[in-house]
């Protein structure tokens, strides 16, 4: 009998996870990076609680969702014992900032001063209620490819620096890096490389200019179609969904 987790045989899930980890390690080795400088964020938007639980039992601790509402249902169903680190990777509207601040530990999709201010305000409220005051980890989403269908700040140092200067004063947030999505091109991962290179250059330039109180460390880039290229170009967070859940 085939043991299933949700709609996927457990053997497939294990095999996929092993392949993804191996591919990350191989890409890191090609550019002399240590494999543990890259975190796998399992994007769970297409699966349910059973798959997330199984992944966590296999040692995955970073779970990503693209919508706060979906994450809420899954986090409640998993229970507090689960202990995962939750990442919001999809677009965030200011009117969902309260949910986002209470559910996620890292937000990859901050793309305006308004969203940053809304998150800061909600984090301050939560800190008053819970007496915990860890800053919320945030990344600025950058639309490197300039696709009109995508969210994100324009890829210019001046515009990103401006947001960083404002967020310096938002003590409940900690900007930890930059995030981007490469254009989707079926079976051609090469288009992603210049996008990822550009994101790394932007981060390095912003760090050189010291626009922000802390160095920007993280580069959230690479999905199922191109994560090994992202690792070669310096990704510290790869966001992988479908490659984990194929049957
Ligand atoms: C869905 C999603 C991913 C994962 O995409 P896959 O192609 O399934 O790996 C990564 N990042 C964001 C922002 C997403 O919405």
């Amino acid at each position: 009998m085939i043991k299933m987790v949700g709609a996927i045989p457990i053997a497939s899930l294990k095999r996929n996870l092993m392949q993804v980890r191996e591919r990350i390690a191989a890409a890191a080795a090609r550019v002399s990076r240590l494999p543990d400088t890259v975190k796998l964020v399992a994007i769970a938007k297409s699966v349910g609680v059973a798959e997330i639980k199984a992944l966590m039992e296999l040692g995955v601790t970073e779970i990503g969702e693209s919508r706060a509402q979906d994450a809420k249902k899954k986090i409640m169903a998993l229970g507090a014992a689960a202990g995962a680190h939750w990442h919001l990777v999809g677009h965030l509207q200011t009117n969902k900032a309260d949910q986002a601040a209470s559910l996620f530990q890292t937000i990859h999709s901050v793309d305006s001063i308004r969203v940053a201010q809304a998150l800061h305000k909600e984090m301050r409220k939560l800190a008053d209620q819970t007496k915990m005051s860890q800053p919320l980890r945030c990344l600025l989403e950058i639309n490197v490819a300039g696709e009109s269908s995508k969210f994100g700040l324009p890829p210019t140092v001046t515009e990103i620096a401006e947001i960083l200067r404002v967020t310096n004063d938002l003590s409940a947030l900690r900007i930890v890096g930059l995030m981007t999505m490469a254009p989707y091109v079926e079976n051609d991962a090469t288009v992603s490389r210049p996008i990822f290179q550009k994101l790394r250059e932007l981060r390095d330039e912003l760090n050189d200019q010291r626009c922000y109180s802390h160095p920007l460390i993280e580069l959230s880039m690479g999905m199922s179609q191109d994560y090994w290229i992202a690792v070669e170009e310096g990704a510290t967070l790869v966001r992988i969904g479908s490659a984990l859940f194929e049957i």
Side-chain angles (χ1 to χ4, degrees):
M1 207 178 89
I2 299 178
K3 184 166 182 283
M4 306 288 285
V5 281
I8 306 166
I10 183 77
S12 302
L13 191 67
K14 281 185 182 165
R15 179 203 61 208
N16 294 343
L17 178 61
M18 202 170 77
Q19 280 175 358
V20 165
R21 283 184 171 146
E22 281 172 5
R23 219 165 172 187
I24 290 172
R30 284 198 291 279
V31 293
S32 305
R33 298 181 61 198
L34 294 172
D36 63 6
T37 59
V38 185
K39 271 205 182 111
L40 165 63
V41 183
I43 305 301
K45 67 184 177 210
S46 67
V47 298
V49 171
E51 290 91 333
I52 298 173
K53 253 190 184 153
L55 277 175
M56 291 180 65
E57 278 161 19
L58 296 169
V60 176
T61 55
E62 315 290 317
I63 310 290
E65 276 288 340
S66 58
R67 287 153 36 107
Q69 308 90 289
D70 299 339
K72 186 171 184 180
K73 284 189 210 132
K74 292 176 193 175
I75 291 169
M76 302 223 312
L78 279 163
H85 182 119
W86 287 85
H87 297 251
L88 179 65
V89 300
H91 182 63
L92 176 60
Q93 287 169 319
T94 47
N95 64 1
K96 297 275 162 50
D98 56 339
Q99 274 196 355
S102 64
L103 294 168
F104 297 97
Q105 287 78 51
T106 301
I107 311 274
H108 292 231
S109 48
V110 173
D111 63 357
S112 69
I113 290 172
R114 278 187 44 201
V115 164
Q117 285 168 334
L119 285 171
H120 170 75
K121 194 173 126 211
E122 296 302 331
M123 286 303 290
R124 290 292 294 272
K125 272 195 223 159
L126 283 173
D128 285 344
Q129 287 160 16
T130 61
K131 304 290 164 223
M132 292 196 298
S133 56
Q134 279 258 7
L136 179 62
R137 288 163 47 88
C138 295
L139 292 86
L140 299 180
E141 179 170 356
I142 314 296
N143 188 358
V144 176
E147 289 178 286
S148 57
S149 60
K150 296 235 167 79
F151 293 100
L153 297 158
T156 59
V157 169
T158 33
E159 288 196 55
I160 305 167
E162 158 114 24
I163 293 224
L164 286 172
R165 279 189 207 102
V166 175
T167 48
N168 261 324
D169 297 330
L170 305 179
S171 58
L173 308 184
R174 171 72 49 80
I175 311 293
V176 294
L178 305 179
M179 177 273 221
T180 199
M181 283 174 89
Y184 180 73
V185 182
E186 200 166 330
N187 295 325
D188 184 7
T190 59
V191 294
S192 301
R193 192 182 295 279
I195 306 289
F196 298 154
Q197 283 169 341
K198 175 75 183 178
L199 196 72
R200 187 186 64 220
E201 284 164 18
L202 284 168
R203 180 199 60 181
D204 294 347
E205 172 91 32
L206 292 160
N207 281 337
D208 286 346
Q209 293 197 6
R210 296 180 191 279
C211 310
Y212 192 64
S213 53
H214 291 75
L216 306 174
I217 307 287
E218 310 286 1
L219 290 173
S220 168
M221 55 193 198
M223 319 197 330
S224 295
Q225 56 169 354
D226 53 19
Y227 63 91
W228 58 96
I229 292 178
V231 170
E232 288 175 2
E233 297 302 335
T236 61
L237 297 163
V238 288
R239 310 181 307 266
I240 302 181
S242 46
L244 290 172
F245 304 115
E246 292 161 350
I247 295 187

